Amino acid sequence: MGVKISNEKFFDRVDKGIKDTFMRKAVSEAQSRLEGRKIEVTEELGNWEDWRDLSEEIRQHTLENLDYYLEQFARNVAKQGGHVFFAGNAEEANDYITSVVKKKNAKNIVKSKSMVTEEIGMNEALEEIGCNVVESDLGEWILQLDDHDPPSHIVVPALHKNKEQIRETFNKKRQYDKTSDPDELAKFARQELRKDFLAAEVGITGCNFAVAESGSVSLVTNEGNARLATTLPETQITVMGMERIVPTWKELDILVTMLCRSAVGQKLTSYITGLTATKEQGDVDGPEEFHVVIVDNGRSKILGTKFQSALQCIRCAACINVCPVYRHVGGHSYGSIYPGPIGAVLTPLLEGYEDYKELPFASSLCAACTDACPVKIPLHEQLVEHRRIIVEQEGKSSFGEKLAMKGYAFGASTPSLYQMGIKGAPTFINTIAGKDGDGKGAGPIKLWTDIRNLPKSTGQSFRKWYNNREKGGND
Amino acid sequence: MKVSLFLTCLADAAYPADVGRSTVEVLERLGCEIDFPKNQTCCGQPAYNSGFHRETRDVAKHMIRTFEHADYIVSPSGSCVAMLKEYPHLFEDDPEWIGRAKKLADKSYELTQFIVNVLEVEDVGAEFEGKVTYHTSCHMTRLLGEREAPMKLLKNVKGLNFTELPNKQQCCGFGGTFSVKMLPISEQMVDEKVQHIEETNADILIGADLGCLMNIGGRIDRQGKSVKVMHIAEILNSQK
C-alpha cells in the first residue's frame, strides 16, 4: 500500500470525511469510549505523570543509543540461529522478504497487524510474486476483503466501518449468509481465518517492541492472531521499524503497560507474546526459521533533528483518540496510513512535504495530543516546526500570505502604525460586518464571515477610556 | 504592587473597552497599580503559528522592549500569555535576546492566574446573577497549564448558576489562522462546541480568551441563537 492512500486533494478528502456522517458518529463514539477507558486505567495508577516521565526517559535513552541497542539485538538474534537484515528502504526490505519466501517455495502467508509492512507496501510485493497474503487481525482482514480499503486508524484500522457494512463485505466476498451480530461475524471470520493459519508456510508479524538484551520480539494483540501466526508456520518473518526497541525486559514491562493503557484502556491486552529465536529441541511448536527485518525507510534521517522525539512513538494512537480534527474528518482525510496528530508529524518526515503540506496546518494547535501522549512527544510543537520549515525553507506559502505576514510583523513592531490600525479597526469591522454582523468582506475576513459573525465593535475603545481616565475625565 | 497590562490585540482592536476596563478595575480593587504601556501591540502568535518565525522575532523584540520595565505583566488571555512564554524558544540561537526573552516570560501571567497565584485571592467580591457555563480554552489549560484559577474565582462569584460544559476539554475550533485556513474543519468543531453549550441551557458562556469567544460567539450569532458570550474579567468585575 505504501504511506500514501489517496490521490485526491486534501480539501476534497476533508469534504468527503465531513460528509460521511456514519464514519463521524463511529469515530466520536470510539473516541469517547477509548478516552474514557484510558482515563480510568491511568487514574488507577495514581501517578500517571511520573509514568509518562519514565517512559519518555526510556524512549529518549534508547534513541540516543539506538546503534548500540540495535547491534546488541542483532547479535543476540544471530546467536540463537535467527537472521537479521537491515533494510535501508522499502525496496530493500521487500527484496529481502520476497527472497526468503521464494527460497521456502512458500505460497501461503499469514500476517498479524503491522503498520510498517503497510508503509513499505509488503503485501503488494508478495502478491506480485504470486503469494496469497492473508491479514489475520480482524480489522485488517475486513479491509483486505473489502478490496483493500485503507486503514483509518493505527490501532483500530476498520474504525470507519459498521457491522452492516462488514456483513455486506463478508456476504459479497465470502458468501456469508448470517446476521450482522458481531459475535456471529467474528465466529465466521475465525472459521475462515483458521484455514489460512493452517495452510500458511510463512508467518509475518510486525513488532511492538524488540528486546535488545535477549534478541526477542514482543507482540501485543487482543485476538491472539500474532501468537498463532508465529506458532503454526515453519518460517517467521518479523518486520520492525528501527526505533521499535527497548534495552531490557524491565523497560518492556513499563512500555507495554503504557501502550495497552493508552491504546485501548486495558492494563494489559489479552495476549502479550514474547518470542525468542526458533523452535528448540523438545518444543512442540514455533518456527524453524526466524528472520527479522529492521526497516530504516527515512527514520535515521529524523535522528538528530528537532523531530527526533517523533521516533519515541509507540503507536498507541492516544493522540488520535483525543484529536478534535480527526474526530470530524476521519483517518482517510489525512491521505496517509498514519493519520491524526502523529500522522501529521510523521508523514511529511517520511514522504516529504509535496503531497502533505496541508497536514501540519490541519490542527488548531489545541495540544490535546501532546497531553495524551504516554511518551511525551511534543506533537503540537512539532506541527509548528513543520509549518516553519514549509514557510521558511520550502517557500510553500502563498505570495498573498507572505505579504500579509510581512505587513503584520511591520505593523505589530511599529506602535504608530499599530495604533492607527486599531483606531480604524472598529469602523472597518462595522463596515464589513454590516448592521447584523453577517457582512462578507474579502480574503480571510470573507472566510471568517462565511460561517460566523464579526464581533460588534460598538462603544468606546479601551485606549480612549484609559486616556480619559488618566486625564481625570469621567468613565 | 505595580502591574503592567498587556491588553492583547483582539481586546485592543476588535472589542470595545469592556474587557480591558474590567481587568483594570478588578486589579485596582485588589490593590494593584496599573500601568498601560501604550506602545504595546500583539504577542506575535498569528505569525508564529503560521510558520513565519523571522517575522515573529521582530514582533517579539518590540514586545520585550515595551515591557522590559515591568515587574509583572498581566493579560486577560491565556493564549497570548502562552505565546509570551514561547519567546525564549524563538531566540535559542541569539545570546543577546534569549536572556531578555526569558525575563519577560517569567514575569508574565494570565489574569486569573495572577489573582489566584500571585495576589493569593480567590474571592474578588463579585456578584453576577445568571445561568452560566465556562469554556476552558486549550492554550490556557494545556500550554499555560492553568486549570484551576478561573474555576476557583468563579466559584466565589455570588449569584452564578453554574453548569459544567460537556466535553469541556475539547477545542472550539478557533486556532487563530486555523479558523480561516481550515474553515470546513473549524466549522465542524465550533458547531459541536455550540451544541454542548446549548445542552447546558446556560444563557451566558464565560471564557478567558477573546479568540475562543470571538469564534464561538460569532457562530452563535450567525445561527441566531441567544446565548451571550462574556469574558471572565467582566464577570469578576460585576458588582451589585
Side-chain angles (χ1 to χ4, degrees), chain A residues 58 61-62 68-69 72-73 76 209-216 218 245-256:
Chain A
I58 293 170
H61 167 86
T62 310
Y68 174 82
Y69 289 118
Q72 188 189 15
F73 172 71
N76 284 327
F209 300 102
V211 186
E213 70 167 347
S214 61
S216 311
S218 78
I245 189 164
V246 290
T248 73
W249 287 83
K250 242 161 103 183
E251 289 83 28
L252 178 82
D253 185 16
I254 294 158
L255 291 182
V256 158

Side-chain angles (χ1 to χ4, degrees), chain B residues 20-237:
Chain B
R21 175 184 174 160
S22 300
T23 304
V24 169
E25 288 176 352
V26 168
L27 288 172
E28 282 180 343
R29 207 171 295 130
L30 296 172
C32 299
E33 188 195 328
I34 303 296
D35 150 61
F36 179 71
K38 296 211 164 86
N39 281 347
Q40 64 180 274
T41 55
C42 168
C43 65
Q45 201 171 171
Y48 184 75
N49 285 351
S50 300
F52 289 79
H53 292 197
R54 276 191 291 260
E55 287 75 4
T56 316
R57 272 188 280 274
D58 292 342
V59 180
K61 282 180 183 172
H62 172 72
M63 289 291 283
I64 291 170
R65 282 192 213 102
T66 306
F67 283 95
E68 209 135 41
H69 68 282
D71 299 330
Y72 294 98
I73 302 166
V74 175
S75 176
S77 161
S79 184
C80 304
V81 172
M83 183 63 216
L84 299 183
K85 290 186 180 291
E86 273 301 312
Y87 283 3
H89 291 132
L90 275 170
F91 296 107
E92 265 165 7
D93 305 318
D94 189 336
E96 190 206 328
W97 282 91
I98 186 157
R100 295 168 79 177
K102 271 187 187 146
K103 272 191 197 146
L104 179 97
D106 289 347
K107 63 186 180 187
S108 298
Y109 296 87
E110 182 276 331
L111 173 65
T112 63
Q113 188 177 46
F114 182 76
I115 295 173
V116 172
N117 301 337
V118 180
L119 300 179
E120 297 182 347
V121 171
E122 292 188 11
D123 186 349
V124 296
E127 207 169 332
F128 185 91
E129 296 279 340
K131 202 163 174 346
V132 303
T133 187
Y134 176 73
H135 171 62
T136 51
S137 288
C138 305
H139 287 183
M140 170 91 119
T141 51
R142 289 190 276 259
L143 300 196
L144 206 55
E146 187 52 70
R147 291 174 161 86
E148 313 277 328
M151 289 319 296
K152 281 183 180 162
L153 293 171
L154 286 179
K155 224 172 69 190
N156 288 313
V157 175
K158 285 177 202 73
L160 274 195
N161 178 356
F162 183 85
T163 308
E164 190 164 289
L165 188 60
N167 274 26
K168 62 173 179 179
Q169 78 291 346
Q170 205 149 62
C171 178
C172 71
F174 176 58
T177 51
F178 173 84
S179 62
V180 288
K181 265 192 180 162
M182 293 287 156
L183 185 71
I185 309 175
S186 176
E187 180 181 7
Q188 300 305 316
M189 287 163 72
V190 71
D191 276 354
E192 190 177 2
K193 186 56 74 187
V194 172
Q195 187 194 320
H196 288 312
I197 293 165
E198 285 194 296
E199 283 165 22
T200 66
N201 286 319
D203 300 316
I204 294 162
L205 171 77
I206 303 169
D209 254 299
L210 279 180
C212 313
L213 291 180
M214 187 170 79
N215 180 45
I216 302 170
R219 186 62 178 162
I220 288 174
D221 282 351
R222 173 59 55 93
Q223 294 175 336
K225 288 170 179 159
S226 60
V227 182
K228 238 179 90 178
V229 299
M230 281 179 85
H231 192 278
I232 193 165
E234 298 174 84
I235 303 288
L236 298 178
N237 193 37

Side-chain angles (χ1 to χ4, degrees), chain A residues 238-441:
Chain A
T238 289
V239 189
M240 62 179 267
M242 67 186 280
E243 79 285 13
R244 309 302 296 277
I245 189 164
V246 290
T248 73
W249 287 83
K250 242 161 103 183
E251 289 83 28
L252 178 82
D253 185 16
I254 294 158
L255 291 182
V256 158
T257 187
M258 294 301 277
L259 171 62
C260 299
R261 284 174 202 263
S262 305
V264 282
Q266 289 172 279
K267 287 182 209 169
L268 286 177
T269 49
S270 309
Y271 294 84
I272 310 278
T273 308
L275 300 160
T276 310
T278 49
K279 177 160 131 179
E280 282 175 29
Q281 228 176 353
D283 286 353
V284 288
D285 50 30
E288 277 159 24
E289 206 175 300
F290 174 47
H291 298 261
V292 184
V293 182
I294 300 172
V295 178
D296 181 336
N297 207 30
R299 286 163 175 75
S300 57
K301 70 171 198 254
I302 302 171
L303 286 170
T305 70
K306 281 195 170 168
F307 294 105
Q308 176 164 310
S309 62
L311 295 175
Q312 285 164 213
C313 179
I314 56 172
R315 303 286 189 271
C316 70
C319 61
I320 299 176
N321 297 341
V322 296
C323 178
V325 172
Y326 179 90
R327 182 183 186 84
H328 293 293
V329 303
H332 289 169
S333 294
Y334 291 80
S336 160
I337 57 163
Y338 298 115
I342 186 64
V345 169
L346 205 55
T347 307
L349 292 174
L350 296 175
E351 298 286 294
Y353 290 107
E354 194 52 44
D355 288 341
Y356 302 102
K357 58 184 179 302
E358 294 92 354
L359 288 191
F361 292 94
S363 162
S364 62
L365 302 178
C366 78
C369 47
T370 301
D371 249 22
C373 179
V375 292
K376 297 183 81 168
I377 304 169
L379 288 153
H380 74 281
E381 288 174 19
Q382 296 197 338
L383 291 172
V384 172
E385 178 63 7
H386 269 314
R387 295 179 186 188
R388 187 190 69 75
I389 293 171
I390 289 168
V391 168
E392 292 186 354
Q393 289 171 19
E394 303 277 315
K396 287 198 192 303
S397 53
S398 70
F399 177 73
E401 189 182 19
K402 268 183 222 155
L403 204 67
M405 284 300 168
K406 291 241 179 296
Y408 159 78
F410 186 63
S413 48
T414 317
S416 56
L417 208 60
Y418 174 83
Q419 281 164 31
M420 212 159 76
I422 55 162
K423 230 180 235 166
T427 319
F428 178 68
I429 290 173
N430 289 337
T431 310
I432 294 167
K435 200 162 55 57
D436 302 317
D438 57 356
K440 289 296 182 191

Side-chain angles (χ1 to χ4, degrees), chain A residues 74-114:
Chain A
R75 220 175 32 241
N76 284 327
V77 171
K79 220 179 1 192
Q80 296 164 106
H83 307 272
V84 178
F85 181 74
F86 283 92
N89 54 37
E91 200 185 347
E92 284 177 24
N94 289 331
D95 283 350
Y96 181 81
I97 295 162
T98 49
S99 75
V100 171
V101 168
K102 271 191 212 155
K103 239 182 266 164
K104 304 304 292 183
N105 276 323
K107 287 279 166 249
N108 299 301
I109 294 165
V110 71
K111 256 189 83 184
S112 66
K113 184 168 160 33
S114 151

